[in-house]
Amino acid sequence: MAARARALGIDGVFAPDHLFPPVFYPPSGPDRPSLEVFSVLAAVAAREPGLHVGTLVTRVTLRAPGILAKQAAALDAMSDGRAIIGIGTGDRASSEEHRRFGFPFPPAADRLAALEQTVEALHALFGGRSWPGGSHVPMLEGPLLPPGEPAVWVGGLSDAVLGVAARVADAWNGWGLDADAFADRAATLLELAGPRIVPPTWAGIALVGEDRSDLDRLLGLRVERGLSLDGVWSGTAEEWGTFADRLGAAGATWCIVLPSGPPDRLDVIAEATPR
């Protein structure tokens, strides 16, 4: 997929940080395989130079911040400064992964506090400074060598997560939103960020048909497989282009797509996406 993306002129590839496939991309569950995200992205960076590589998202509950900083800096070096580290708190759907692999899953308020302090700690270490420590992230003296300077995005839809992104992140990511909801969240982010510049980015699953007949065929196949369209954008290539334009008008600097359907959907989406 990364090789095809590069050939199509796509700017980068992202991978989720899950211990088994998440429910939004069936078949899922603990009996299905899933490769570790930083290992996958390091392989992509080595094999497909020139691509941005990013996590979308890694959860603050899965790695100690110092280890996350080291992995992020290494990925940044391997990708020639093109790493993007998307971070989130996780939600209730994450709890089963944590239980099965022995990770604590703190309450939402603790995960939110850890998110903000982790972003601050990463920025400190990437900048060659120590992190003095906080209520949820301990002191990190460093140094981090090589330091790296990956962008740090915060992903999530709540006002609380938007507030974290506005205060400390390099960008914010909203998953699965329609154009109106994305524009609303982007406007809130702009208001919360004040003088800071925190670009909004969009990501989600898309089922794109070449035309209406092709889309109807794909939708029928999805029904036959018993797959829901909940949280999936669907439409024709022309409608996708209009949707992407609306995201851009709302300030989106990235449009990150998980293509649904047959393998050629990446080509259809790439051709239809405004540049």
Side-chain angles (χ1 to χ4, degrees):
M1 184 68 81
R4 187 69 189 133
R6 185 183 177 207
L8 290 167
I10 291 170
D11 295 306
V13 294
F14 292 74
D17 188 8
H18 283 280
L19 307 178
F20 47 79
V23 295
F24 61 76
Y25 197 51
S28 60
D31 59 340
R32 304 293 300 183
S34 180
L35 293 172
E36 194 278 325
V37 66
F38 282 97
S39 302
V40 170
L41 293 175
V44 170
R47 293 184 52 160
E48 304 297 336
L51 285 177
H52 290 268
V53 287
T55 61
L56 201 67
V57 292
T58 185
R59 288 159 291 174
V60 292
T61 49
L62 292 183
R63 291 175 180 80
I67 291 295
L68 178 57
K70 189 66 177 177
Q71 289 179 296
L75 184 63
D76 201 46
M78 294 176 193
S79 62
D80 195 24
R82 293 180 174 87
I84 296 170
I85 306 304
I87 306 179
T89 62
D91 54 24
R92 284 179 295 177
S94 302
S95 61
E96 180 68 2
E97 291 177 77
H98 288 69
R99 184 187 71 80
R100 285 178 176 268
F101 285 89
F103 290 97
F105 192 65
D110 291 335
R111 302 198 310 272
L112 186 68
L115 174 66
E116 183 160 1
Q117 292 178 25
T118 296
V119 174
E120 291 179 306
L122 290 178
H123 279 311
L125 291 176
F126 294 157
R129 306 183 305 278
S130 298
W131 161 251
S135 58
H136 290 73
V137 175
M139 177 182 178
L140 302 175
E141 185 175 355
L144 183 67
L145 297 172
E149 200 174 0
V152 182
W153 296 4
V154 162
L157 303 179
S158 70
D159 285 345
V161 170
L162 278 172
V164 172
R167 289 189 294 272
V168 299
D170 296 316
W172 164 76
N173 182 259
W175 176 271
L177 296 171
D178 62 32
D180 289 336
F182 180 82
D184 176 75
R185 296 282 76 192
T188 299
L189 175 70
L190 180 65
E191 180 180 348
L192 292 172
R196 295 190 75 237
I197 298 174
V198 185
T201 68
W202 182 91
I205 307 170
L207 181 66
V208 182
E210 295 179 358
D211 51 30
R212 181 58 55 181
S213 175
D214 187 40
L215 177 62
D216 289 342
R217 177 183 65 86
L218 295 174
L219 291 172
L221 290 172
R222 195 172 179 91
V223 171
E224 288 178 13
R225 295 179 61 194
L227 300 177
S228 170
L229 277 173
D230 289 345
V232 178
W233 186 96
S234 63
T236 65
E238 182 179 0
E239 290 167 340
W240 170 260
T242 300
F243 174 70
D245 272 335
R246 291 187 65 190
L247 295 178
T253 55
W254 280 81
C255 179
I256 301 155
V257 190
L258 180 58
S260 182
D264 67 350
R265 293 304 98 176
L266 182 64
D267 303 63
V268 173
I269 290 170
E271 184 175 350
T273 304
R275 300 299 175 94

